[in-house]
Amino acid sequence: MGGSRELADTCVLRLERVTKRYRQGPRELTVLREVDLSLWPGELLVVLGPSGSGKTTLLNLMGGLDRVSTGHIRFGELDLATATAAQLTHYRRHHVGFVFQFFNLVPNLTAYENVELAAYLVEQPLPVDDLLEQFGLADRKTHFPAQLSGGEQQRVAIARAVVKRPALLLCDEPTGALDYETAKDVLGLIQELPERFGTTVVLVTHNQAIATIGHRVIRLRSGEVVAVSRNETPLAASELIW
Amino acid sequence: MTGSVLRRRLYRQLRQQRWQTLAVAAVIAIGTLLGIGLRSAHRDLAAARDRFYARQRIAGFWIRLKRAPRRQAIAQASRCARWVEGRIVREARMMKDTADRDPTTVLAVSLPAGRRPRVNDVRLIAGRYFEVGTRPEGIVGRAFAHAHGIRPGSHLRLLLGGRVVSIRVIGIALSPEFVYLLAPGSIVPDPARYGVVFLPEEFMEQATGLRGAVTELVGRLRGNSRPERRAALRMLERSLSPYGVLDAHDLEEHASHRYLSDEIRGLAVFGVVIPTLFLIVALLVLQVILWRQVDQDRPVIGVLKALGYPDLHVAGYYAAHALSIGLLGVAAGLAGGALLHRAMIAVYRQFFELPGLEARFHPADYAIVLALGIGTAATAAARAVWVAWREPPAAAMRPAPATTPGLSRLLPRRWPLLARIAGSYLVRRPLRSLAGIAAVALATSMLLVGLLSYDSTIAVLDHHYRHVERHDWSAWLRDYRDVQAVREIAHRVRAPLAEGVGTVPATIQHGRYRMDGAVLLLPESPRLFVPWESDSSSRGIVPHGSSGVALSRWLAKKLAVRAGDRVTLRIRVADRRVVRVRVLRLVDDYLGLFVYAPMTLARKLVGHPRLVNRLLLLSPQGDVAQRLAGYPSVVTVRNRRVERAILWRMVTKLTVTYVALLVGFAAVLLFSSLLNVVLVSLMERRRDYATLLALGFCNRELGGMLAGELAVLVLTGTAAALPLGITLTHALIRLYNTDYFRMPLVVHPHTLVAVVIAAAVFGTAVWVVAVWQVARGRWQDWLRSRE
């Protein structure tokens, strides 16, 4: 499965026969089955699938938020399957950024402080002021989340995710809580990230239209990767229609 | 509450939040338990006392005389009183055959043979009453009989009136006037060394040589109010003064009644104050839980209303939530209260000789406490019910408006980010945080109340038995003696140091204020009984050579006297002089109402230069008691260490048990309230915590943030609890203190430190639980929840 490239030693993250099961009372539920996948530097990978297909579980596993039942997820020398809790925390702290559907900003910190919160974790973060200015939030940085629109909140969340210069940016339905126009703006911003910051972006969505902005698209159904496709000329987010 | 589905949901919710549910229910249970235990014990004690007094016709006055002709004394008394009885009361020594050489004194009280006394009748537990005649028979008080294994048919040998008489015990009885029997000068019953024996009147007359005479009058005073009755008593006292009045007091001043009634009064006070405080904490904590619950449930409220559930049913759900917790707590509290009630009555039975003192079921108390417990839960649910009632379905289904920063903006920018987050959580919902702090403050203050009560009790014992009483032995004399005679006794018993003390009953008057008390005549520089002033190193009662007295600080307050004022002393013995003296000093004392005067004032007060009725000895030798007991003028012999040990035992049984209960309950209260506040906070912030973990913060950093929040909660609560606990203890002590026994408010720094440490320990325990909750939680799932 995976991608077509064979340069396994340069991939950012490699998933090998990843399976995830949950126990629900007496029975066991397999939510991901034997997934093989490699993420490459600077690519925008879209994970597409209906509700319950295992998208978020896959994202959680890639982000070190959860552990595989079987298989391996390798980040350089680190295998997330066998990493200690401290190693997983270090991995999230230094190499991963998250963007959530409902923004997950800390409500009692300002926009600036929310970004600073992530910057605080690494030694060489991007300058917070510059970042907010680049994201069109220069005049909103002293505002609290409750005083920002949904789009602005998600921009702050994206700024918070990239300020750490992560190798991997994981976006879980980042437009799910936004209106059409705002969603396109946010997608545009996400689409620029690989080029602007050299980060690998994984974007999880159930919206087929959004798949066209990625370099690569994998389709999940019932926990299995059913298709992988490559967009040689990804569509600009501003041109999206759904 | 509606439908079985909502009932099932409620059941599941209570199960999911079982620790919170149990913690709040525990607080309600403790409040209920204390309410039932203390109120029921109060009712039983009061009812048993009133029943006993009514059935045995308790006297309204006691007048102790040197010696008076029976007929004339009764005739004179009958002008101001009714149901007057004349009797002979004498201390007698019990002669023992056993190796036990501890001197044992009995108070021998005459009773009319062939008829029951009009007042102070005895209640026979075993045996029979006296028949007409002069047979040497006796009825023995129950506690004394138990302590010495005496039964009807046993024989007692008493040294009475200078000769040994053999008495056949015909009955064991309880007396309403000796429910709490104290030896002279003692504050704790010691049935092994002091008891009461009733003897037939004629036999007593023969044995004591007081034929046709009495040494005590008892009866009921005329008058409808206490002032009227007291005026009658004073008149009676004056009219009997030719016979040598040694003491006159009414029921309210009668030692046994005082101790019993003070205990009943204390129970009444504690039975209201302590449970109320617990229920207030329960209300605060439950309120915080339900506030959060209703906020979290807004979409559910919207959906239920959209489906067609009436407002009443939806609101009823939250009422049912609160009432379920309330009922759980009340049920446990009622069961525990019944046990506490029984345990308390069992303890009181050991100290009070009251027939019919049993733990009875008091439906009214149960109903009141049940209503209070349910009322607490209902009050806590009020806001949640109101919100659930009023919220329109569409509004409820919309996401809650985002939380405004509120007071978060005021937090200093220079604070580290995590500290600012922790701080902002606290100030974001100030009312909720304040409720949490108030709960912690109240719980911690209860802990402090318990410990300070203990300190105060110990301070009284320490003060009395270490600073004031410094002798080894004290002997009470039958009559006033010249101090020289006393010294001779001391010399003969080979005590290296001896001092005489004269206790003279007196009314102390200052302006329009007057109180009945006593003047203690002491050596000018006493060494064995030292009225003690905590802030003075002076050992004299008053400056040497000065003519004046020292006054109990408590008495001074009651009489509005300051050092330098003059008071009038109306002496109630001898030739009943009225003397004005200057108060030169105020001293701390906690038992009785005393004026301390140097022996040099004796002539002015009682017309005799050196009058004493108590001998104090410093002698570590154990046989001093036996040698003292050989003197007919010696009524009782007390050993300070023995008495202190008995008192310690009593304190251990009563005070320490109560204090331990209170401290234990307060600890549960503190832990429960802290745990609830923190668990509610965790539930509210779990998405934020999950986000922080996802960002790369580690559990240690989150733990640090939680610790900071908890520290603020605990420190603020404890800071408020210290003055609150001190104020509460002060208020309780003020309510509890009487003219006869009072406690100072003692605040040792180490007690405050102990409370702070206890709060810190509980805070740490709750922190461990909170960190564990975060660590074991499925925080990946919390990430996708909405704020």
Side-chain angles (χ1 to χ4, degrees):
Chain A
M1 277 256 167
S4 57
R5 300 191 203 183
E6 298 303 323
L7 301 168
D9 53 336
T10 60
C11 74
V12 178
L13 195 75
R14 193 166 66 200
L15 285 75
E16 298 167 2
R17 302 171 70 82
V18 167
T19 296
K20 179 67 184 175
R21 296 186 200 92
Y22 289 113
R23 182 160 286 285
Q24 277 198 335
R27 66 197 187 94
E28 207 170 52
L29 192 69
T30 303
V31 289
L32 273 184
R33 199 186 307 268
E34 304 275 321
V35 174
D36 285 313
L37 182 66
S38 294
L39 303 181
W40 304 99
E43 81 165 331
L44 169 58
L45 173 75
V46 176
V47 179
L48 192 64
S51 177
S53 58
K55 305 185 297 287
T56 300
T57 304
L58 181 64
L59 206 70
N60 285 347
L61 295 174
M62 287 193 226
L65 298 179
D66 210 345
R67 285 176 188 278
V68 299
S69 301
T70 59
H72 302 276
I73 300 178
R74 299 189 195 280
F75 178 81
E77 297 295 310
L78 180 71
D79 182 356
L80 303 189
T82 55
T84 62
Q87 283 173 320
L88 285 180
T89 301
H90 184 271
Y91 166 70
R92 288 197 302 271
R93 189 170 189 137
H94 294 282
H95 305 296
V96 185
F98 284 98
V99 177
F100 303 100
Q101 181 179 358
F102 297 113
F103 328 130
N104 288 38
L105 296 179
V106 179
N108 31 26
L109 295 183
T110 61
Y112 182 92
E113 287 165 346
N114 263 288
V115 180
E116 193 189 5
L117 184 67
Y120 159 90
L121 293 167
V122 292
E123 280 179 11
Q124 289 184 312
L126 294 170
V128 177
D129 280 313
D130 291 356
L131 198 58
L132 288 173
E133 196 169 332
Q134 283 180 49
F135 284 20
L137 294 164
D139 57 342
R140 312 291 279 165
K141 61 185 178 184
T142 57
H143 289 66
F144 287 90
Q147 298 164 320
L148 300 173
S149 69
E152 286 170 333
Q153 288 192 56
Q154 196 60 300
R155 282 163 184 266
V156 175
I158 296 168
R160 184 179 66 180
V162 298
V163 73
K164 297 192 295 183
R165 302 176 193 264
L168 189 60
L169 184 67
L170 304 172
C171 308
D172 188 3
E173 300 273 12
T175 57
L178 301 175
D179 63 74
Y180 178 69
E181 290 300 332
T182 311
K184 288 211 302 187
D185 280 353
V186 166
L187 286 172
L189 190 60
I190 291 173
Q191 197 174 26
E192 291 171 11
L193 295 177
E195 199 168 321
R196 277 167 72 176
F197 302 103
T199 187
T200 300
V201 177
V202 179
L203 192 158
V204 161
T205 181
H206 65 279
N207 188 340
Q208 297 239 15
I210 293 174
T212 56
I213 69 166
H215 297 122
R216 206 153 46 111
V217 180
I218 67 165
R219 291 166 199 273
L220 282 179
R221 189 179 299 153
S222 301
E224 289 186 68
V225 177
V226 292
V228 180
S229 59
R230 174 173 294 281
N231 291 329
E232 294 303 334
T233 51
L235 206 61
S238 57
E239 294 170 26
L240 284 177
I241 299 173
W242 69 82
Chain B
M1 205 23 221
T2 184
S4 62
V5 177
L6 285 188
R7 267 202 295 276
R8 279 205 298 276
R9 180 177 191 258
L10 176 58
Y11 171 71
R12 281 182 202 140
Q13 199 150 31
L14 290 171
R15 262 190 56 176
Q16 278 166 5
Q17 301 170 351
R18 56 188 170 279
W19 295 115
Q20 273 174 275
T21 303
L22 286 176
V24 180
V27 177
I28 295 177
I30 293 171
T32 312
L33 175 151
L34 286 170
I36 284 292
L38 295 172
R39 285 181 64 89
S40 299
H42 164 256
R43 271 185 197 269
D44 285 337
L45 261 185
R49 176 196 63 185
D50 295 345
R51 250 190 334 264
F52 191 35
Y53 280 8
R55 284 186 189 159
Q56 309 311 127
R57 303 176 296 283
I58 184 82
F61 74 89
W62 286 254
I63 297 179
R64 205 153 58 83
L65 303 158
K66 268 190 158 177
R67 176 185 183 142
R70 175 181 291 275
R71 214 172 278 172
Q72 287 91 321
I74 291 176
Q76 262 176 290
S78 299
R79 287 182 212 145
C80 309
R82 52 206 166 90
W83 295 0
V84 181
E85 286 280 359
R87 61 188 193 178
I88 299 168
V89 179
R90 277 278 186 266
E91 266 90 2
R93 178 107 355 86
M94 186 166 121
M95 314 299 284
K96 290 184 275 190
D97 302 324
T98 59
D100 172 20
R101 298 184 62 202
D102 236 1
T104 301
T105 304
V106 294
L107 186 69
V109 179
S110 70
L111 284 177
R115 71 167 176 91
R116 303 302 278 254
R118 284 180 281 274
V119 290
N120 291 346
D121 192 5
V122 292
R123 171 156 175 180
L124 284 165
I125 302 296
R128 62 172 174 83
Y129 191 72
F130 303 120
E131 290 164 2
V132 180
T134 57
R135 280 188 289 268
E137 295 174 337
I139 295 171
V140 180
R142 184 175 68 178
F144 187 74
H146 280 182
H148 294 275
I150 297 168
R151 281 186 285 276
S154 303
H155 281 82
L156 285 181
R157 285 196 311 129
L158 299 178
L159 178 64
L160 178 64
R163 65 191 180 95
V164 177
V165 292
S166 181
I167 307 289
R168 194 170 79 87
V169 176
I170 60 161
I172 307 294
L174 297 172
S175 166
E177 57 181 321
F178 302 121
V179 170
Y180 190 84
L181 179 62
L182 297 175
S186 178
I187 55 173
V188 56
D190 181 11
R193 293 175 188 80
Y194 193 80
V196 62
V197 174
F198 299 94
L199 301 172
E201 202 167 270
E202 283 184 46
F203 174 76
M204 269 290 266
E205 285 186 356
Q206 281 177 12
T208 55
L210 290 167
R211 195 171 289 279
V214 294
T215 63
E216 191 167 273
L217 290 177
V218 288
R220 293 264 179 99
L221 291 160
R222 294 184 199 280
N224 295 321
S225 63
R226 187 163 184 232
E228 280 176 24
R229 290 195 294 272
R230 285 189 63 78
L233 181 62
R234 293 294 158 249
M235 196 190 298
L236 192 53
E237 206 181 329
R238 277 195 297 277
S239 71
L240 292 168
S241 61
Y243 304 123
V245 174
L246 298 174
D247 177 53
H249 62 260
D250 65 2
L251 178 62
E252 275 68 27
E253 296 165 317
H254 187 62
S256 166
H257 173 79
R258 250 168 28 209
Y259 278 92
L260 175 59
S261 299
D262 286 350
E263 191 61 37
I264 292 171
R265 207 167 53 84
L267 278 177
V269 171
F270 279 94
V272 171
V273 176
I274 305 289
T276 304
L277 289 174
F278 273 82
L279 290 179
I280 289 174
V281 176
L283 190 148
L284 288 171
V285 175
L286 187 54
Q287 192 161 276
V288 169
I289 289 176
L290 291 168
W291 281 356
R292 188 206 135 254
Q293 189 64 56
V294 79
D295 286 348
Q296 196 192 27
D297 274 0
R298 287 181 77 251
V300 179
I301 293 170
V303 168
L304 288 173
K305 290 191 175 184
L307 285 174
Y309 279 98
D311 293 343
L312 181 67
H313 287 182
V314 177
Y317 178 86
Y318 296 93
H321 188 158
L323 292 179
S324 304
I325 297 177
L327 277 173
L328 182 67
V330 168
L334 293 183
L339 292 177
L340 177 67
H341 176 202
R342 279 168 189 276
M344 288 178 73
I345 293 298
V347 171
Y348 281 128
R349 274 208 206 111
Q350 295 175 35
F351 295 106
F352 295 119
E353 288 291 299
L354 268 175
L357 179 57
E358 282 166 17
R360 291 165 203 264
F361 175 61
H362 301 287
D365 281 339
Y366 278 72
I368 289 171
V369 172
L370 182 76
L372 281 175
I374 301 294
T376 302
T379 310
R383 180 184 171 268
V385 168
W386 178 248
V387 169
W389 176 288
R390 287 294 304 267
E391 193 81 324
M397 279 192 289
R398 274 200 297 274
T403 320
T404 55
L407 297 172
S408 305
R409 325 161 170 274
L410 303 177
L411 295 172
R413 295 271 168 223
R414 61 179 181 279
W415 280 16
L417 261 181
L418 289 182
R420 230 181 306 158
I421 296 176
S424 63
Y425 283 138
L426 288 168
V427 297
R428 196 164 134 200
R429 291 197 169 96
L431 273 181
R432 202 175 291 190
S433 297
L434 280 176
I437 289 170
V440 172
L442 271 173
T444 312
S445 66
M446 293 301 296
L447 195 64
L448 188 57
V449 167
L451 293 175
L452 289 181
S453 306
Y454 178 77
D455 286 347
S456 298
T457 310
I458 297 304
V460 173
L461 299 189
D462 196 49
H463 176 90
H464 191 72
Y465 287 102
R466 196 156 70 94
H467 296 302
V468 178
E469 293 203 347
R470 302 178 183 198
H471 50 267
D472 292 317
W473 302 93
S474 71
W476 281 78
L477 309 177
R478 190 177 317 284
D479 295 312
Y480 292 103
R481 293 293 176 101
D482 186 278
V483 75
Q484 193 51 41
V486 168
R487 282 196 187 132
E488 278 169 26
I489 297 175
H491 177 69
R492 282 192 208 151
V493 299
R494 295 191 291 278
L497 182 61
E499 281 177 3
V501 178
T503 307
V504 181
T507 300
I508 307 107
Q509 188 174 351
H510 179 243
R512 60 194 173 90
Y513 302 105
R514 61 158 65 190
M515 300 286 291
D516 285 341
V519 178
L520 277 192
L521 289 163
L522 297 163
E524 266 192 291
S525 292
R527 293 166 68 185
L528 301 181
F529 188 99
V530 186
W532 195 66
E533 198 179 358
S534 53
D535 54 356
S536 164
S537 57
S538 164
R539 296 188 62 180
I541 305 167
V542 291
H544 274 264
S546 55
S547 179
V549 297
L551 201 64
S552 146
R553 211 177 286 279
W554 174 270
L555 186 54
K557 198 174 167 193
K558 292 259 177 173
L559 297 173
V561 171
R562 285 177 300 182
D565 289 347
R566 292 175 82 88
V567 293
T568 303
L569 301 178
R570 297 176 184 278
I571 306 299
R572 287 160 49 200
V573 293
D575 50 358
R576 304 177 72 82
R577 295 179 177 203
V578 177
V579 183
R580 275 181 69 74
V581 290
R582 190 175 294 284
V583 174
L584 298 177
R585 216 181 125 201
L586 301 180
V587 296
D588 301 308
D589 63 358
Y590 305 115
L591 305 170
L593 298 173
F594 292 112
V595 176
Y596 301 94
M599 197 58 84
T600 47
L601 274 186
R603 186 185 291 282
K604 186 176 174 183
L605 298 177
V606 287
H608 189 288
R610 313 175 82 79
L611 200 65
V612 300
N613 62 345
R614 190 176 167 198
L615 173 62
L616 308 177
L617 300 170
L618 195 67
S619 172
Q621 293 166 30
D623 59 349
V624 168
Q626 281 76 44
R627 280 186 259 143
L628 275 174
Y631 289 89
S633 56
V634 172
V635 173
T636 58
V637 179
R638 281 171 51 211
N639 181 289
R640 185 172 60 95
R641 286 188 184 82
V642 170
E643 188 166 302
R644 191 180 178 192
I646 296 168
L647 203 57
W648 262 110
R649 263 206 313 276
M650 187 170 159
V651 165
T652 311
K653 269 192 178 163
L654 276 175
T655 313
V656 173
T657 309
Y658 289 160
V659 167
L661 272 178
L662 190 60
V663 168
F665 289 156
V668 173
L669 186 68
L670 178 56
F671 185 75
S672 302
S673 43
L674 261 177
L675 184 67
N676 265 305
V677 170
V678 169
L679 287 182
V680 167
S681 302
L682 269 186
M683 290 294 284
E684 277 177 351
R685 298 167 202 164
R686 58 189 190 176
R687 196 185 76 139
D688 291 352
Y689 289 143
T691 305
L692 292 173
L693 286 169
L695 282 177
F697 283 92
C698 58
N699 280 327
R700 188 172 45 80
E701 285 163 320
L702 286 196
M705 203 169 83
L706 267 170
E709 260 190 88
L710 256 168
V712 170
L713 204 63
V714 170
L715 288 177
T716 318
T718 308
L722 297 183
L724 181 64
I726 291 170
T727 310
L728 269 173
T729 314
H730 188 237
L732 283 171
I733 283 176
R734 276 176 70 108
L735 285 169
Y736 201 82
N737 278 349
T738 65
D739 291 341
Y740 310 104
F741 183 87
R742 50 198 173 265
M743 289 193 290
L745 173 65
V746 177
V747 183
H748 294 305
H750 59 74
T751 304
L752 301 183
V753 171
V755 167
V756 174
I757 290 174
V761 168
F762 286 119
T764 308
V766 168
W767 175 77
V768 169
V769 174
V771 169
W772 176 68
Q773 286 270 327
V774 172
R776 71 186 269 273
R778 283 282 308 165
W779 51 273
Q780 298 85 347
D781 299 339
W782 301 344
L783 278 172
R784 293 174 64 80
S785 61
R786 286 181 154 197
E787 192 201 351

